[in-house]
Amino acid sequence: QRLALGQDRPRRAAMTPPAWLAPLMLGSVAASSRFITSHSNVRSFLWTSATRSFDRAIADAFPGGHAVTGFGEGRPGLDLSTGAFVAWVESDLLGGPDPFAAHDGRVPLPWPQGSEYDDDQVGLGNYVAYSRRQLCFIVAKSLTGAATDGYANGLKRFLEKRAGSCFPRTGDFGRSLIVLLEACYADAALVDGGHGPMVVVAKASRAPAVGQVWSQADAPLARAGLRVCQYDDGAAPLEGGIERVPAEGCQQPSATAPGKDFMTGGLAGQATQDISAAFLGGYVFGNACGLGGGQDERLMTYMPEVAALAFFLSQHAEFPQLRQPAWILGARMLFSGLDGTARFNDPPIPLTNAPITSDLKNVELSGSVYSMSSSRPFVAFQSENQGFFHWGDRSVQTPLARRNKLPAQREVSPSSWFAFDKQVRAWYRSIALTSYSAEVRPALKALVSSIGTGPWLAGLWWGDSQLGFLAVWLAQAIAAPTWGDATAPLPVDFYMYSAFTESPGSQCFVHSSERCRACVRRCQDHPLPGTAFWMPEDALFSGQSCVPFPDDCGGHGIEHVAAAYAGKTARDLWTDVEAKLKNEGGSTARTVFDILLGSQKAAAQPETLMP
């Protein structure tokens, strides 16, 4: 499992929103009824009484005091005193016009039935949307201890769930949600009961049969629109014609701050791909109060709108969290410091230039037009290999997996639940536009222009990093045509790290020979601090996080595979991967790329686990 560590107040004066906000606030549906869902069955729930004041909630989360965040795009002249902020939450957000008045003050939830139910309230192939004001209201209610009577929502339960000696509401998670409410306070679109933009959660339909994906595999690999960013990987720039991620989305970190990658954002329309568990947020429920864990867990702190919806939309007894695959549109990154390495992520610093109005786009949803934040589309899904090795000595198995040396990583039998074809299906299902409700597809197409990802498959699920890249590339080529007829209608931006927050060093093996060795050296010479990663003890090498085996590097790298399969189809690559790995008989003497391209060079044998 992935475990994380971790008096009288003035009333504000009425303010009339500027005229330019009117179309962004109203869309074509009455502002009082902003909740939207594809479900025909909806249930609504009353809130129970609060158990603490909002003032108390702030004091619990910030015992040393807290200065209200001043957002650059916030309302001009906004009073940033704690008293004014608390008064707004209690008198305006909670005590003003009820954002759920159209539902008699009850909070509405989709209620999936039968085969649609998927351990959350969105359900397979459906979506739900709340206005920004409605989401802020839900967060404020939860922080003050109110629950939904008759629906055991996960947000309230998560915030109140003791994890060791603390509660999430008093740790980084609670602080993150309070900063979200500060952004709501600053938002001119929420003045005088305004609903503001929409936030949408869309779930994929049930996974197709592998054969259905295979039937579409004649798509040229060029349709994947592969672009690469080498992010502090220590290796010489790639050659061979691989397209680069545009500079806005690929800038190197400094010694003290992150650069630009798919986690920080920077490239317009690029979606952040969350390498999730079966549910969003990982194993934080009952295990964490603050920042820690893997990429998935850390994103929950940095994107509080995502966290709030992920927990609120499930009442599952053990893991009350949204199930994957899921898109969340309209959420924002509200803190700075989190890139793929997580080297600079502690503590999370409120992002004072976070978008409030500048990134709003008018998009179609369910046949009407609404505004949505466009700066950080978010898509979460897992590879289908969690727990794929559970036999033998994990202190032997896990280090081998991190080196791409565990035979089970190369399973290609169709009868295996974690074989390569299941990884292709997992990526295809999560990205194909046709997996999602037709009512939400126009919004997806308007807001998403590329998919940003890192070592999917090869993080804390311990898959082979080369096979992870191959699954991403060929599955993206199959899924991309569902987004349009262009040559590359939805590019995949593949980020390469020497030290990704999950399994640092493992992605180096996607490089060839000397580039791979340089990448391994970079990780060892510049290891992540302990605040930047979590791994079980059996995954470490003499207590160190980096994979320290340069002799495991193969002869071929990503540039050679891309060149060899230029002009070929996803089916060609898929066929060759399975056939050649099957012929190898489970041997891990050579890397997957070297097997695929016929190299006779054998990488280091796995007998010696320590350098």
Side-chain angles (χ1 to χ4, degrees):
Q1 289 188 343
R2 300 164 65 176
L3 302 180
L5 302 180
Q7 78 224 99
D8 289 337
R9 306 181 186 96
R11 290 184 177 272
R12 59 158 185 82
M15 177 178 175
T16 302
W20 62 267
L21 271 174
L24 298 179
M25 292 168 61
L26 295 176
S28 57
V29 172
S32 62
S33 60
R34 283 299 191 91
F35 167 81
I36 308 168
T37 183
S38 52
H39 281 282
S40 57
N41 195 23
V42 172
R43 295 187 186 180
S44 299
F45 300 88
L46 287 171
W47 292 95
T48 65
S49 298
T51 60
R52 69 186 67 87
S53 68
F54 186 63
D55 210 1
R56 180 73 260 168
I58 293 178
D60 289 347
F62 296 98
H66 173 62
V68 176
T69 306
F71 290 94
E73 294 187 18
R75 291 185 276 153
L78 188 66
D79 185 345
L80 295 180
S81 68
T82 300
F85 169 51
V86 171
W88 179 83
V89 170
E90 293 187 342
S91 301
D92 187 310
L93 182 60
L94 296 177
D98 190 334
F100 295 110
H103 302 272
D104 297 323
R106 300 167 182 261
V107 60
L109 284 151
W111 211 256
Q113 302 290 304
S115 62
E116 287 184 339
Y117 184 67
D118 188 36
D119 291 331
D120 62 39
Q121 297 310 124
V122 184
L124 294 167
N126 286 285
Y127 73 90
V128 63
Y130 294 95
S131 71
R132 187 177 285 176
R133 186 180 190 89
Q134 288 173 332
L135 180 55
C136 295
F137 184 90
I138 289 168
V139 168
K141 282 285 192 181
S142 301
L143 284 169
T144 56
T148 40
D149 190 15
Y151 170 68
N153 83 76
L155 180 58
K156 163 64 164 56
R157 290 164 54 204
F158 169 57
L159 292 174
E160 306 282 348
K161 180 79 169 176
R162 180 181 288 277
S165 61
C166 61
F167 296 93
R169 69 177 183 84
T170 67
D172 289 329
F173 292 111
R175 292 189 280 271
S176 173
L177 293 173
I178 288 169
V179 171
L180 167 59
L181 292 180
E182 291 171 351
C184 301
Y185 173 50
D187 195 336
L190 306 192
V191 168
D192 291 335
H195 273 265
M198 299 295 285
V199 187
V200 179
V201 179
K203 289 276 300 293
S205 53
R206 191 171 300 281
V210 171
Q212 184 178 336
V213 184
W214 173 261
S215 70
Q216 302 172 65
D218 285 330
L221 284 165
R223 306 237 32 203
L226 175 65
R227 304 186 298 199
V228 174
C229 172
Q230 293 173 252
Y231 188 85
D232 194 28
D233 69 352
L238 289 168
E239 300 170 350
I242 293 182
E243 188 175 350
R244 307 299 173 88
V245 173
E248 307 95 285
C250 183
Q251 296 175 23
Q252 298 305 309
S254 70
T256 58
K260 294 291 185 183
D261 70 351
F262 80 105
M263 298 275 285
T264 63
L267 183 60
Q270 183 191 69
T272 293
Q273 194 265 320
D274 174 5
I275 306 171
S276 75
F279 31 80
L280 278 64
Y283 293 90
V284 296
F285 185 69
N287 292 310
C289 294
L291 191 68
Q295 179 229 22
D296 184 23
E297 290 86 346
R298 293 168 195 270
L299 280 167
M300 295 300 110
T301 302
Y302 273 71
M303 298 187 73
E305 290 155 318
V306 169
L309 288 165
F311 282 96
F312 184 72
L313 289 169
S314 177
Q315 63 171 343
H316 188 270
E318 186 178 8
F319 299 113
Q321 293 150 259
L322 183 71
R323 268 48 183 174
Q324 60 85 42
W327 280 95
I328 299 183
L329 303 176
R332 297 159 294 172
M333 183 74 74
L334 292 183
F335 295 85
S336 64
L338 182 62
D339 63 3
T341 71
R343 187 183 298 277
F344 311 100
N345 76 164
D346 189 29
I349 305 298
L351 187 63
T352 56
N353 65 344
I356 293 178
T357 57
S358 62
D359 70 335
L360 296 182
K361 278 189 175 182
N362 284 345
V363 300
E364 181 184 338
L365 176 65
S366 187
S368 297
V369 176
Y370 301 90
S371 69
M372 277 185 220
S373 172
S374 64
S375 60
R376 200 91 306 250
F378 178 94
V379 61
F381 57 96
Q382 68 170 358
S383 51
E384 294 189 24
N385 67 321
Q386 181 182 3
F388 74 96
F389 62 94
H390 53 271
W391 59 89
D393 187 347
R394 290 188 63 88
S395 66
V396 174
Q397 306 275 26
T398 308
L400 285 176
R402 294 193 63 202
R403 297 172 59 191
N404 291 351
K405 291 292 185 181
L406 190 66
Q409 293 172 302
R410 302 186 181 188
E411 180 62 73
V412 293
S413 170
S415 62
S416 169
W417 65 266
F418 58 86
F420 179 73
D421 61 351
K422 309 307 187 300
Q423 315 315 322
V424 174
R425 176 179 64 180
W427 187 278
Y428 169 84
R429 175 201 182 193
S430 305
I431 296 301
L433 190 64
T434 46
S435 293
Y436 299 90
S437 168
E439 294 180 7
V440 81
R441 292 176 198 169
L444 282 164
K445 292 187 72 172
L447 297 177
V448 181
S449 55
S450 68
I451 305 294
T453 191
W456 183 79
L457 181 72
L460 291 175
W461 291 170
W462 317 123
D464 183 296
S465 54
Q466 293 188 356
L467 283 173
F469 163 70
L470 294 173
V472 168
W473 188 26
L474 74 87
Q476 184 73 17
I478 302 171
T482 66
W483 288 72
D485 296 327
T487 301
L490 186 70
V492 60
D493 297 329
F494 187 72
Y495 287 76
M496 299 179 67
Y497 301 85
S498 63
F500 190 71
T501 181
E502 300 190 7
S503 193
S506 294
Q507 201 182 18
C508 290
F509 301 124
V510 179
H511 273 304
S512 60
S513 192
E514 292 309 310
R515 288 187 178 86
C516 174
R517 290 175 173 273
C519 180
V520 171
R521 286 195 300 271
R522 175 63 176 169
C523 190
Q524 291 181 278
D525 293 344
H526 196 49
L528 295 178
T531 55
F533 70 93
W534 175 88
M535 283 190 291
E537 287 295 322
D538 60 36
L540 302 176
F541 297 95
S542 296
Q544 301 302 307
S545 64
C546 292
V547 179
F549 291 94
D551 287 345
D552 287 347
C553 295
H556 292 102
I558 185 174
E559 72 275 28
H560 302 117
V561 176
Y565 283 87
K568 295 189 178 182
T569 68
R571 190 188 307 277
D572 294 331
L573 178 57
W574 191 346
T575 299
D576 286 353
V577 168
E578 292 188 333
K580 294 188 177 185
L581 287 183
K582 182 178 180 180
N583 289 340
E584 201 72 4
S587 170
T588 59
R590 295 190 295 167
T591 70
V592 170
F593 287 173
D594 284 352
I595 294 168
L596 193 61
L597 300 182
S599 171
Q600 297 303 307
K601 177 186 181 300
Q605 294 300 302
E607 284 78 9
T608 302
L609 292 178
M610 303 310 303

